[in-house]
Amino acid sequence: MSKKVALGIDFGSSSVRVLTLDIESGKVLNSVEQSYSGGVDGVYVSDSDSLLARQSPADYLKSLETALEKSVAENKKAGIEMSSVAGIGIDATGSTPIPVTKDMVPLASTDKFKDNLNAYSWMWKDHISHKEAEAITAKAGEMRQQYLGKIGGAYSSEWYWAKLWHCLNVDKEVFDAAYTWVEFSDFVPAVLTGVKDAADLKRNVCAAGHKALYSDEWGGYPDNEFLSALDPGLVKVAETLPKEVLSIEHNAGGLCKEWADKFGMKEGIPIAMGVMDAHAGGIGSGIKEGSLVKIIGTSTCDLVLGDLNMKNTNILGVAGVVKESVLPGYYGIEAGQSAVGDILNWYITNVLDNNKSHKELTDKAREQKPGQSGLLALDWNNGNRNVLTDPMLTGLILGQTLQTKDFEIYRALIEATAFGAMRIIEELENQGVVINEIVNCGGITHKNDLFMQIYADVINKPMKIAAIDETVALGSALMGAHAAYKADGVEISYNELQAKSCSVLEKVYEPNPEAVEVYRKLYENYKKLHDEFGVKGTKLELYGVMKELIEIKNQIS
Amino acid sequence: MSKKVALGIDFGSSSVRVLTLDIESGKVLNSVEQSYSGGVDGVYVSDSDSLLARQSPADYLKSLETALEKSVAENKKAGIEMSSVAGIGIDATGSTPIPVTKDMVPLASTDKFKDNLNAYSWMWKDHISHKEAEAITAKAGEMRQQYLGKIGGAYSSEWYWAKLWHCLNVDKEVFDAAYTWVEFSDFVPAVLTGVKDAADLKRNVCAAGHKALYSDEWGGYPDNEFLSALDPGLVKVAETLPKEVLSIEHNAGGLCKEWADKFGMKEGIPIAMGVMDAHAGGIGSGIKEGSLVKIIGTSTCDLVLGDLNMKNTNILGVAGVVKESVLPGYYGIEAGQSAVGDILNWYITNVLDNNKSHKELTDKAREQKPGQSGLLALDWNNGNRNVLTDPMLTGLILGQTLQTKDFEIYRALIEATAFGAMRIIEELENQGVVINEIVNCGGITHKNDLFMQIYADVINKPMKIAAIDETVALGSALMGAHAAYKADGVEISYNELQAKSCSVLEKVYEPNPEAVEVYRKLYENYKKLHDEFGVKGTKLELYGVMKELIEIKNQIS
């Protein structure tokens, strides 16, 4: 019999990945990927509202089938039978709620709603519900101050209740047709475990805690009085939600016969409770106490673990502080930036029309010194997730002269995302969160040395890089392995599993003192713009900003 | 014998044009052009200082020779002998001072200085002297408040004394080697009239008044006490300047034998006093009392005539109020924007790497409605000439999302220049300057209907377009014709000459009320950015700017 393996299934923004892990050695055996087929890169957008971003649940499952077929083929080549799969972990983007019927059919798969994007999956980056988010923040401020303490002070348009409420406001037919709304990271485990009644749905603490205001401290999800104050219609959904939600210590269930047979796996092998993709990335990057893991992709998620005894669990300017949302035994503190890779891709695709590549621009930008372009940008092309939690903000770039070059703008955009990252770290540290090391993961951290050096210089800390590209799928596979051990009656900690599978590259990006000094000055100006455009009531004098940038530039050239 | 013609010689930023005008009918017979050969598009720039822009005086004359050869050929085709040229008018960019020896050799043409850009012609758009300009403004504020009244409140880095003083500060060898510094618009007439001693140089009121602080009110150029307070070294140059400067009622002299023979013209035919190119453009566009002429090119110059009896000749935020700098019998009021076409060219060349054309971007941008992109930009990529007179300002664009397209940025840049134009008009009207009509000239006014419609909608006035492309060269030709009439003993007014030659296109761009309404809102936000970044001591709240742009955008789409 071949060795026991775990599968990590990672549903990203535009594709699903399946990673096979050798459970005993902790080695990654292979990893395959399948892009979603619908919309633009898997995303359905609207010409009339740039804030909308939807996906098709059927597309998720079809893509998973294709990915699993690829996985079967890869494993076969290596002499591994799918019957040796002993556990499965699943992560998905979030908050990405999907409206489903009582018998677990996504509304988007029904004839009635197949052409209605409101019946689709409401992708994490859909910001259409910003007015509802503001209203939730306001109402919580009046009635349930404690809610705000756990979500950094403001509810986001990216999150569960804002999205449901927006649907109720704009498309009551869809809202009424849905029995409940299930997070993407609970939907797939439910399908794979064969849940046929949405009343039986298990929900994971990661999505529930970070996106849907679930907390032990107030006995679960928001109470009906609060939801009624928003809109009585929401109570109907609340009544479908479980009293308790589960961490990755627990299983969603066993693999159902249908999916097991289709790919030659054993029926009933354990499937761990899901998590959101970034959190899986934290696990796969070897997150431990004191390490900040930055999952850098189209957007960025920052994860830090907090001691369960920590005094202040109300941290301002973060996306959430949730018990056991990452690893059992710790608070998971999540923050993030709503666009990072997306901004660079936007510049290349929408502005430069793909006439230049990331590599070409990076090669030119690498020759420049910090401050040499005279440019300064804000990283708000998709709003600001943290520390402002405001989707109604937009990009800004200043300092252009008639000599400004394309690659200088590219570099300024990278720098803007680094300043945004720094703003979050500063905010965390100011509130007593301990950060001893920073581990970065995501494709760009392996591909773009300039990007990582700028981060080291702006943040003024060494930047470590998770050794493998697929830390998110690895995190899910570790969840699958953990479930497999448990099924065998073996208690093993996540830290032990991580020790076998997670490592950082030898190359660590160290801050360069000269660059640090220049970026410190630029960052002060970034903060001025940040507060002036992003913080209500701010009235700074910005007269000197352009002049200081010219001065810095002239000192350098 | 063939009919009598006048030549208009127009030295622009990158080429010289020669236009032949039938004096009696006022019809343009032909027009030829020759690009300068040196540097980049005729301009020598510096890698280490983006503010520097120099040209070669020898290049000017060599290009003029080639242009005149082309003119000879064109005229010959039409059966016109060059001996029928009866008068010549000349315009050139300014303030573009050229250091020359006492025997009229440009320092750049001497062996010693041929590789030293400080010995070249200091082009109007050279902003390297910004510190000297600030110091001149400050000193005038202390000692000669009256100087500031005539130049809109601040001396510019683009102007004569700032440039000379900067040369004195950074390259004393060049400064000491120069007997005097002559404006481009006086240099060429001097060469063509055969001036061999720089002490005999005549100077035109247009450049002297707008750029070198010349005014009847204080008896000419700045006095030695003032210049000594800046730097005693400047007095040496002041002593080479004439007591009186001349308007285009006067001649620079007669065509010298050398140039006459070379092109088959008659020796001694009158050459009018020079003017700066924009002012010639005003004349060629048919400027009269109450009309604002906008000469729109790489930069933009706005000209209005003021009654000689007007009460307030101290107008804030303009580039100058100078008696008879445009037409005899009127004050010439000049304002302008330091980059207009240059900003669009910069975007296409430096950002898009010429992968899209003006036409492609315009065609896409034309399909958009005002406010639809959510973008807002400042037109300061080359600083701000008016109303702020501050070269140490830079470009800004905000409102970018991940959906923003290349052509939307292009449109936002056009709009930014229109807002800049509006800011000047508002300032003029606030100070009692009467504007009954706006006549636009320059290549872009004929080529880009979207540009003109945006101007009509932003400024909320009809936009007329001068019928011919070469209004600047036409203006010079009218000066040549005027000199020819005078030589024949005929007194004729410029308005009579203009009536024969100047007309506007039938197509007038009328403001569209819906667009006017949206642009009014955008302009309010433009002004907030303008004041916050450009006016010292301003502390506005900008928190709402991005949100209002999103709101406007959402209302439209």
Side-chain angles (χ1 to χ4, degrees):
Chain A
M1 184 198 153
S2 70
K3 49 189 161 193
K4 277 190 176 178
V5 300
L7 296 187
I9 300 177
D10 160 36
F11 284 93
S13 292
S14 58
S15 66
V16 56
R17 181 178 290 280
V18 177
L19 180 147
T20 305
L21 182 84
D22 177 14
I23 292 180
E24 204 189 318
S25 72
K27 283 217 172 95
V28 174
L29 299 174
N30 62 65
S31 158
V32 299
E33 192 179 8
Q34 175 60 39
S35 298
Y36 308 147
S37 59
V40 180
D41 291 330
V43 184
Y44 294 86
V45 294
S46 157
D47 281 343
S48 65
D49 197 329
S50 65
L51 298 174
L52 182 147
R54 305 285 157 83
Q55 296 188 309
S56 153
D59 193 359
Y60 296 149
L61 298 179
K62 210 181 74 200
S63 302
L64 174 59
E65 289 188 35
T66 312
L68 281 170
E69 282 160 17
K70 290 183 186 177
S71 187
V72 169
E74 280 297 308
N75 280 320
K76 196 168 182 182
K77 274 195 237 164
I80 297 160
E81 300 291 335
M82 292 305 276
S83 58
S84 59
V85 176
I88 296 174
I90 296 166
D91 70 80
T93 68
S95 175
T96 304
I98 304 169
V100 295
T101 64
K102 183 136 194 318
D103 49 0
M104 283 297 291
V105 178
L107 290 191
S109 299
T110 64
D111 270 355
K112 184 164 183 192
F113 294 114
K114 67 179 169 15
D115 297 323
N116 183 340
L117 288 183
N118 293 327
Y120 280 51
S121 143
W122 292 45
M123 203 181 173
W124 62 273
K125 69 177 174 184
D126 188 311
H127 284 157
I128 206 163
S129 317
H130 57 92
K131 286 199 177 127
E132 287 81 1
E134 278 169 33
I136 293 172
T137 301
K139 191 56 78 184
E142 289 166 29
M143 294 176 66
R144 299 289 184 270
Q145 194 61 46
Q146 64 272 31
Y147 291 180
L148 299 181
K150 294 288 165 294
I151 55 170
Y155 201 78
S156 163
S157 62
E158 296 184 3
W159 298 349
Y160 192 81
W161 292 112
K163 284 170 168 165
L164 270 63
W165 191 10
H166 188 77
C167 182
L168 176 54
N169 285 331
V170 302
D171 198 336
K172 197 155 183 313
E173 202 179 359
V174 165
F175 188 85
D176 286 344
Y179 166 75
T180 191
W181 293 65
V182 56
E183 280 285 351
F184 190 3
S185 51
D186 289 320
F187 172 73
V188 182
V191 170
L192 265 60
T193 57
V195 172
K196 298 294 180 205
D197 182 346
D200 299 335
L201 274 168
K202 292 183 185 175
R203 314 264 179 164
N204 72 77
V205 67
C206 181
H210 284 291
K211 312 299 182 189
L213 293 175
Y214 179 96
S215 172
D216 288 353
E217 288 189 25
W218 49 84
Y221 285 99
D223 57 79
N224 288 349
E225 190 193 6
F226 175 74
L227 292 174
S228 290
L230 303 178
D231 191 311
L234 294 171
V235 173
K236 187 197 84 166
V237 177
E239 282 169 356
T240 66
L241 300 177
K243 185 100 188 90
E244 261 191 290
V245 298
L246 302 170
S247 79
I248 55 171
E249 278 290 305
H250 303 270
N251 291 343
L255 184 65
C256 70
K257 186 167 179 355
E258 182 193 347
W259 282 82
D261 288 353
K262 211 181 301 184
F263 302 98
M265 291 187 276
K266 284 191 192 149
E267 189 183 345
I269 52 165
I271 297 179
M273 283 304 296
V275 289
M276 289 187 292
D277 54 351
H279 299 70
I283 298 168
S285 299
I287 195 166
K288 59 179 190 282
E289 223 181 324
S291 56
L292 166 66
V293 172
K294 290 183 68 63
I295 299 100
I296 305 179
T298 53
S299 69
T300 286
C301 183
D302 299 330
L303 292 175
V304 197
L305 299 184
D307 192 289
L308 278 190
N309 300 316
M310 73 179 185
K311 282 188 195 128
N312 175 23
T313 61
N314 294 344
I315 300 178
L316 281 173
V318 301
V321 182
V322 175
K323 206 167 154 183
E324 308 205 321
S325 66
V326 185
L327 288 191
Y330 297 96
Y331 278 103
I333 304 167
E334 182 199 340
Q337 293 171 263
S338 34
V340 174
D342 263 355
I343 293 185
L344 304 179
N345 290 334
W346 159 76
Y347 179 61
I348 285 189
T349 306
N350 281 25
V351 182
L352 304 189
D353 206 11
N354 293 308
N355 284 305
K356 294 271 170 87
S357 68
H358 287 286
K359 183 172 181 321
E360 281 173 273
L361 293 170
T362 300
D363 285 347
K364 290 269 205 170
R366 196 187 290 109
E367 290 168 22
Q368 285 206 307
K369 291 191 184 135
Q372 196 180 339
S373 72
L375 297 173
L376 183 63
L378 288 173
D379 51 324
W380 297 351
N381 288 43
N382 197 21
N384 178 296
R385 193 183 297 157
N386 295 124
V387 299
L388 299 171
T389 318
D390 187 347
M392 303 306 275
L393 295 172
T394 48
L396 178 153
I397 182 161
L398 63 78
Q400 298 91 315
T401 70
L402 296 175
Q403 282 73 44
T404 300
K405 301 288 194 313
D406 53 2
F407 60 84
E408 295 182 311
I409 295 173
Y410 185 77
R411 182 174 177 127
L413 294 173
I414 296 177
E415 289 168 348
T417 69
F419 294 139
M422 178 62 188
R423 187 70 198 80
I424 291 170
I425 290 170
E426 192 180 58
E427 192 79 9
L428 288 171
E429 293 190 328
N430 283 346
Q431 293 176 80
V433 176
V434 176
I435 298 173
N436 296 325
E437 66 161 8
I438 301 182
V439 179
N440 299 275
C441 70
I444 201 168
T445 67
H446 284 230
K447 280 183 234 158
N448 196 315
D449 62 318
L450 174 68
F451 183 98
M452 290 316 306
Q453 187 59 52
I454 288 172
Y455 271 58
D457 293 337
V458 166
I459 294 167
N460 196 16
K461 292 187 197 282
M463 292 290 136
K464 299 179 182 173
I465 314 284
I468 73 159
D469 268 342
E470 300 93 358
T471 51
V472 183
L474 173 60
S476 276
L478 292 177
M479 288 151 49
H482 190 264
Y485 273 109
K486 225 172 37 181
D488 279 349
V490 182
E491 279 299 324
I492 188 166
S493 76
Y494 271 96
N495 282 348
E496 285 172 85
L497 289 172
Q498 287 172 312
K500 286 199 274 189
S501 298
C502 311
S503 63
V504 297
L505 294 180
E506 212 170 301
K507 164 78 183 165
V508 173
Y509 292 87
E510 298 288 344
N512 166 340
E514 262 178 63
V516 167
E517 183 55 28
V518 176
Y519 279 136
R520 200 187 49 74
K521 291 184 204 161
L522 295 182
Y523 180 60
E524 288 309 311
N525 284 292
Y526 172 89
K527 280 208 287 190
K528 279 189 196 170
L529 298 177
H530 178 282
D531 290 356
E532 178 72 19
F533 285 96
V535 179
K536 199 172 167 131
T538 307
K539 290 183 181 178
L540 298 172
E541 180 172 351
L542 298 185
Y543 174 73
V545 171
M546 290 172 177
K547 291 171 198 306
E548 191 178 337
L549 292 174
I550 295 174
E551 207 172 286
I552 291 169
K553 171 181 173 170
N554 287 344
Q555 280 163 8
I556 285 157
S557 0
Chain B
M1 185 197 152
S2 71
K3 49 189 160 192
K4 276 192 178 176
V5 300
L7 296 187
I9 300 178
D10 160 34
F11 284 92
S13 292
S14 57
S15 66
V16 56
R17 182 177 288 281
V18 177
L19 180 146
T20 304
L21 182 83
D22 177 15
I23 293 179
E24 204 188 320
S25 72
K27 281 217 174 94
V28 174
L29 300 174
N30 63 66
S31 158
V32 298
E33 192 179 8
Q34 174 61 38
S35 297
Y36 307 146
S37 59
V40 180
D41 291 331
V43 184
Y44 294 86
V45 294
S46 158
D47 281 343
S48 64
D49 197 329
S50 64
L51 299 174
L52 181 148
R54 305 284 155 83
Q55 296 188 309
S56 153
D59 193 1
Y60 295 150
L61 298 179
K62 211 180 73 199
S63 302
L64 174 59
E65 288 187 34
T66 312
L68 282 170
E69 281 160 17
K70 291 183 186 176
S71 187
V72 170
E74 279 298 307
N75 280 319
K76 196 168 182 183
K77 274 195 240 163
I80 297 160
E81 299 291 333
M82 291 305 276
S83 58
S84 58
V85 176
I88 297 175
I90 297 166
D91 70 79
T93 69
S95 175
T96 304
I98 304 169
V100 296
T101 64
K102 182 131 197 317
D103 50 359
M104 282 296 292
V105 178
L107 290 191
S109 299
T110 64
D111 270 354
K112 184 162 182 191
F113 294 113
K114 67 181 172 8
D115 297 323
N116 183 341
L117 289 182
N118 293 326
Y120 281 51
S121 135
W122 291 46
M123 202 180 173
W124 62 273
K125 70 176 172 184
D126 188 313
H127 284 158
I128 207 163
S129 317
H130 57 92
K131 286 197 179 129
E132 286 82 1
E134 279 170 31
I136 293 171
T137 301
K139 191 58 77 184
E142 289 166 29
M143 294 177 64
R144 300 288 185 271
Q145 194 61 46
Q146 64 273 29
Y147 292 179
L148 299 181
K150 295 288 166 295
I151 55 171
Y155 201 77
S156 162
S157 62
E158 295 183 4
W159 298 350
Y160 190 80
W161 292 111
K163 284 171 168 166
L164 270 62
W165 190 12
H166 188 76
C167 182
L168 176 54
N169 285 332
V170 302
D171 199 337
K172 195 153 186 312
E173 202 181 356
V174 164
F175 188 84
D176 286 344
Y179 166 76
T180 191
W181 292 65
V182 55
E183 281 284 353
F184 191 4
S185 52
D186 288 320
F187 171 72
V188 181
V191 170
L192 266 59
T193 56
V195 172
K196 296 299 180 204
D197 182 344
D200 299 336
L201 275 167
K202 292 183 184 175
R203 315 263 180 165
N204 72 76
V205 68
C206 181
H210 284 290
K211 312 298 181 188
L213 293 175
Y214 179 98
S215 173
D216 288 353
E217 288 189 24
W218 49 83
Y221 285 97
D223 57 79
N224 289 351
E225 191 193 6
F226 176 74
L227 291 174
S228 289
L230 303 178
D231 190 309
L234 294 171
V235 172
K236 187 197 84 165
V237 177
E239 282 170 355
T240 68
L241 300 176
K243 185 99 188 90
E244 261 192 290
V245 298
L246 302 170
S247 81
I248 55 171
E249 278 291 305
H250 303 270
N251 291 342
L255 183 66
C256 69
K257 185 167 182 348
E258 182 194 345
W259 282 80
D261 288 354
K262 211 180 301 184
F263 302 99
M265 291 187 277
K266 284 191 192 148
E267 189 183 344
I269 52 166
I271 298 179
M273 282 304 296
V275 289
M276 289 187 292
D277 54 352
H279 299 70
I283 299 166
S285 298
I287 195 165
K288 58 178 192 280
E289 223 180 326
S291 56
L292 165 65
V293 172
K294 290 181 69 62
I295 299 100
I296 305 180
T298 54
S299 69
T300 285
C301 184
D302 299 330
L303 292 174
V304 197
L305 299 184
D307 194 288
L308 277 190
N309 301 316
M310 75 179 182
K311 280 189 197 127
N312 175 22
T313 62
N314 293 345
I315 300 177
L316 280 174
V318 301
V321 183
V322 174
K323 205 166 154 183
E324 309 205 320
S325 66
V326 185
L327 288 189
Y330 298 95
Y331 277 102
I333 304 167
E334 181 198 342
Q337 293 170 264
S338 34
V340 174
D342 263 352
I343 293 185
L344 304 178
N345 289 335
W346 159 78
Y347 179 62
I348 286 189
T349 306
N350 281 25
V351 182
L352 304 189
D353 205 12
N354 294 309
N355 283 305
K356 296 270 171 85
S357 68
H358 288 286
K359 184 173 182 321
E360 280 173 272
L361 294 170
T362 301
D363 285 347
K364 291 269 202 167
R366 196 187 290 108
E367 289 168 22
Q368 285 207 306
K369 291 190 185 138
Q372 196 180 340
S373 71
L375 296 174
L376 183 63
L378 288 174
D379 51 325
W380 296 352
N381 288 42
N382 196 23
N384 178 297
R385 193 182 297 157
N386 296 124
V387 299
L388 299 171
T389 318
D390 187 348
M392 304 305 276
L393 295 172
T394 49
L396 179 151
I397 183 161
L398 63 78
Q400 299 91 317
T401 70
L402 295 175
Q403 282 74 43
T404 300
K405 299 288 197 311
D406 52 3
F407 60 84
E408 294 181 311
I409 294 173
Y410 185 78
R411 183 174 177 127
L413 293 174
I414 295 177
E415 289 168 349
T417 69
F419 294 139
M422 178 60 187
R423 187 69 198 80
I424 291 170
I425 290 168
E426 193 180 57
E427 191 78 11
L428 288 171
E429 292 188 328
N430 284 346
Q431 294 177 77
V433 176
V434 176
I435 298 173
N436 295 325
E437 66 162 6
I438 301 183
V439 180
N440 299 275
C441 70
I444 200 167
T445 66
H446 283 228
K447 282 183 232 157
N448 197 315
D449 62 319
L450 174 68
F451 183 101
M452 290 317 306
Q453 187 59 51
I454 288 173
Y455 270 59
D457 293 338
V458 166
I459 295 166
N460 196 18
K461 291 187 197 282
M463 292 290 136
K464 299 179 182 172
I465 314 282
I468 73 158
D469 269 341
E470 300 92 358
T471 51
V472 183
L474 172 60
S476 277
L478 292 177
M479 287 151 50
H482 190 263
Y485 274 111
K486 225 172 37 178
D488 279 350
V490 181
E491 279 300 325
I492 188 165
S493 77
Y494 271 96
N495 282 347
E496 285 172 85
L497 289 172
Q498 288 171 313
K500 286 199 275 188
S501 298
C502 310
S503 63
V504 297
L505 295 179
E506 209 169 302
K507 164 78 184 166
V508 173
Y509 292 86
E510 296 289 343
N512 166 341
E514 263 178 63
V516 168
E517 183 56 27
V518 175
Y519 279 136
R520 199 187 48 74
K521 290 184 205 163
L522 295 182
Y523 180 61
E524 288 309 311
N525 284 292
Y526 172 89
K527 281 208 286 189
K528 279 189 196 169
L529 298 177
H530 178 281
D531 290 356
E532 178 73 18
F533 285 96
V535 179
K536 198 171 168 136
T538 307
K539 290 183 184 180
L540 298 172
E541 181 171 351
L542 299 185
Y543 174 74
V545 171
M546 290 172 178
K547 291 169 197 308
E548 191 177 337
L549 292 174
I550 295 174
E551 207 172 285
I552 292 169
K553 171 182 174 170
N554 286 345
Q555 280 165 6
I556 286 157
S557 1

